[in-house]
Amino acid sequence: MSGGENAACRAVDTVAAWENVRWRLSWAAMGEIVISERLVEALTADRVRVVVLTGAGISAESGIPTFRSAGGWWKSYRPEDLATPEAFARDPKTVWEWYEHRRRIVGAAKPNSGHYELARWERHFEKFTLITQNVDGLHRRAGSTQPLELHGNIGLSICHRCRQSKENAGLGPDGSIPCCECGGLVRPAVVWFGEPLPPQTLQLAWDASERADAFLSVGTSSIVQPAADLARIAKQAGALLVEINPEETEMSYHFDEVLRGSAGVVLPAIGRRLGIKPDDHSLSDQVTESAGNHED
Ligand code: OAD
């Protein structure tokens, strides 16, 4: 095939690809989010099983950096230096310093309207599972009672050797690493690259995804396994797959519906379309200083 033909084919492919993407994108004039009838029907079906998987993007509007978007941690640091068992064995102080820094950011952050909306969804839907890759604990602080925290919780600590939980452990003021009675070093209770996810939590997430009627992937680049696989599992099981993300991801083309917008705007827009009313509790907690609180 000649170069000219290649270019023509590419052009046709591009037009076809754009048309394909266009009908799935739910943009509206004036930046308003349009929720499709198909999504509304799916979410209002009798005894619908809804699964939501969240990633760092949902907490971006609370002022917590993501990993891979602009300003994300992995734009300035290498995961292999900070988020692996090898890095901890090599240089536990640097690893702890990074996590202490992140703990301070998380401690100063507040849940935003995306977190609060999902807490309402837990109360609204009879069958609802919230799965998160985030370690910031903001879903619980917004009122979600049972988020499946696939990657652990940055506020907690465990012994790296015997896995015993440790209360209030952290880097000493003199930079000393906290130690366990067993002699092991204490570390943040998060999952690092190369480590298995908590098996029970993963199993629950897997089971829920297999049974989902609607699976919403919110604020994740969908590239870290096994979390990214959950959408695929749900799709195989026949779920309607929805991506909520202001940016395209490598997985976008797998989704049935793509809502291009921030979680703090799109999730409440879906909630409003479904008639899920903000309750007093969540309203009172919704004021944060972040730009992402668009509850109205
Ligand atoms: P990433 O940083 O990879 O992706 C964040 C996604 O959020 C990007 O696709 C952004 O476009 C999107 N985003 C940014 N702002 C948003 C907003 N306001 N609303 C909605 N979406 C927004 O974060 P994760 O996919 O969560 O694991 O990363 C997965 C895992 O990789 C993390 O749990 C962490 C990381 O390395 C470990 O540390 C083990």
Side-chain angles (χ1 to χ4, degrees):
M1 195 182 280
S2 77
E5 280 165 336
N6 261 332
C9 287
R10 270 200 302 275
V12 171
D13 279 353
T14 307
V15 171
W18 171 241
E19 286 302 320
N20 184 28
V21 167
R22 200 164 57 135
W23 71 263
R24 290 187 296 143
L25 286 180
S26 294
W27 278 109
M30 319 283 283
E32 200 184 313
I33 301 291
V34 172
I35 315 299
S36 76
E37 282 308 317
R38 177 166 66 162
L39 178 54
V40 173
E41 271 171 32
L43 292 177
T44 50
D46 197 29
R47 297 176 67 79
V48 59
R49 286 162 298 198
V50 179
V51 175
V52 176
L53 168 70
T54 65
I58 194 169
S59 295
E61 292 162 272
S62 293
I64 300 178
T66 66
F67 293 91
R68 296 174 185 82
S69 32
W73 293 114
W74 301 152
K75 298 285 182 192
S76 321
Y77 301 98
R78 295 176 345 135
E80 51 271 43
D81 291 338
L82 297 170
T84 63
E86 293 78 17
F88 188 65
R90 238 181 0 250
D91 188 353
K93 185 161 176 273
T94 297
V95 171
W96 257 116
E97 280 169 349
W98 184 58
Y99 279 95
E100 292 287 22
H101 177 57
R102 289 180 59 198
R103 279 180 173 183
R104 283 190 289 276
I105 295 174
V106 165
K110 290 178 181 161
N112 64 58
S113 44
H115 299 108
Y116 285 115
E117 186 63 32
L118 292 179
R120 282 196 283 277
W121 289 17
E122 180 186 297
R123 297 190 285 274
H124 173 81
F125 291 107
E126 207 177 306
K127 308 220 176 262
F128 179 77
T129 305
L130 176 59
I131 307 167
T132 188
Q133 299 163 86
N134 298 345
V135 296
D136 55 35
L138 289 185
H139 283 302
R140 284 186 197 277
R141 283 171 58 191
S144 292
T145 61
Q146 298 168 347
L148 298 174
E149 295 175 321
L150 292 179
H151 294 168
N153 190 308
I154 198 170
L156 307 174
S157 306
I158 46 162
C159 172
H160 189 49
R161 186 192 283 173
C162 74
R163 314 303 289 188
Q164 196 182 78
S165 303
K166 299 287 162 187
E167 295 268 319
N168 305 320
L171 200 60
D174 57 349
S176 57
I177 314 298
C179 273
C180 179
E181 302 78 49
C182 79
L185 295 181
V186 173
R187 54 171 276 187
V190 298
V191 175
W192 284 330
F193 287 101
E195 293 185 319
L197 272 61
Q200 251 189 326
T201 310
L202 181 60
Q203 189 63 53
L204 288 170
W206 199 274
D207 292 347
S209 303
E210 260 177 352
R211 290 194 294 264
D213 299 307
F215 184 103
L216 291 83
S217 176
V218 181
T220 173
S221 55
S222 296
I223 60 173
V224 172
Q225 298 293 357
D229 249 356
L230 297 173
R232 186 186 52 77
I233 290 163
K235 178 137 191 171
Q236 275 171 3
L240 180 73
L241 231 55
V242 182
E243 180 176 71
I244 298 173
N245 196 314
E247 310 269 334
E248 186 166 349
T249 70
E250 285 174 24
M251 289 285 288
S252 292
Y253 70 97
H254 286 297
F255 285 82
D256 301 304
E257 304 259 342
V258 178
L259 290 154
R260 287 271 170 263
S262 70
V265 172
V266 177
L267 289 169
I270 296 174
R272 279 194 298 274
R273 188 74 172 73
L274 300 179
I276 302 175
K277 297 221 165 41
D279 46 51
D280 291 345
H281 162 71
S282 51
L283 269 179
S284 66
D285 280 337
Q286 270 172 24
V287 183
T288 82
E289 288 126 36
S290 78
N293 288 285
H294 302 271
E295 196 66 32
D296 53 22

